Amino acid sequence: MPEPRLATPADAAEITRLRSENILSEALDDAWLTTCADQLALRLQDGGDARAYVVDSPDGGLATCALGLVHAVLPAPKYPKGLAVRIHAVATDPAHRRRGYAKAALAALLDHLEHEGVTLYELYASEGSAPLYEQLGFAADPALMRMTRLPSPPERSRP
């Protein structure tokens, strides 16, 4: 199995593609893919808030990615350093699934983050991905409920 490697800004377009095609409920169009890739490339630079591990596809591009976004939170006894990560995407191309790539990439990312001092790890899991996350130490938190609020769209003026 190919070893996961730390992603670089040059991997941003492929990470964005994997996220769009395999995670989002509606794939991004070319303009949004470019916008996301450009932003992610900046965030993957030294000093940025994004960390990712990837597995290269033997056919070119990426087979798998595990992407986390690091942010500061107020400390608490369970996360005393006040450094948290939201696992933003773990995605594998369908042609490369069931080979352990996602588990290897996510395990490498978690190890890297632990060495950086992250003490709080959060993610949203689908039913299908929950067993992988549980194998890596994640547990459901019954006290938390995901809620989403998006800004209201501007009202259209009537002709």
Side-chain angles (χ1 to χ4, degrees):
M1 179 173 86
E3 286 293 314
R5 64 172 175 79
L6 185 63
T8 69
D11 294 309
E14 272 292 285
I15 293 169
T16 301
R17 178 192 65 80
L18 285 169
R19 175 179 170 260
S20 174
E21 292 177 1
N22 298 288
I23 295 175
L24 299 180
S25 58
E26 188 174 309
L28 300 173
D29 65 22
D30 288 343
W32 275 109
L33 284 169
T34 299
T35 297
C36 290
D38 290 349
Q39 186 182 108
L40 181 57
L42 293 172
R43 295 171 82 172
L44 284 169
Q45 291 179 8
D46 288 342
D49 68 333
R51 309 289 183 279
Y53 272 78
V54 297
V55 173
D56 292 305
S57 169
D59 307 324
L62 298 178
T64 297
C65 70
L67 168 66
L69 302 175
V70 179
H71 60 279
V73 296
L74 292 175
K78 289 186 179 181
Y79 38 94
K81 293 188 178 183
L83 195 55
V85 67
R86 177 173 180 258
I87 303 301
H88 190 69
V90 178
T92 303
D93 259 346
H96 300 287
R97 290 186 181 156
R98 303 283 179 230
R99 299 180 189 182
Y101 292 175
K103 184 177 183 179
L106 183 55
L109 175 63
L110 296 174
D111 186 56
H112 180 102
L113 292 165
E114 187 174 323
H115 283 92
E116 283 192 2
V118 172
T119 53
L120 177 62
Y121 300 81
E122 300 172 311
L123 58 76
Y124 298 108
S126 67
E127 266 186 58
S129 63
L132 166 65
Y133 301 136
E134 289 168 354
Q135 287 177 14
L136 293 171
F138 287 88
D141 187 338
L144 300 178
M145 174 177 58
R146 179 177 184 205
M147 298 176 77
T148 303
R149 181 179 186 273
L150 300 173
S152 300
E155 290 198 30
R156 294 183 180 173
S157 58
R158 295 189 175 152

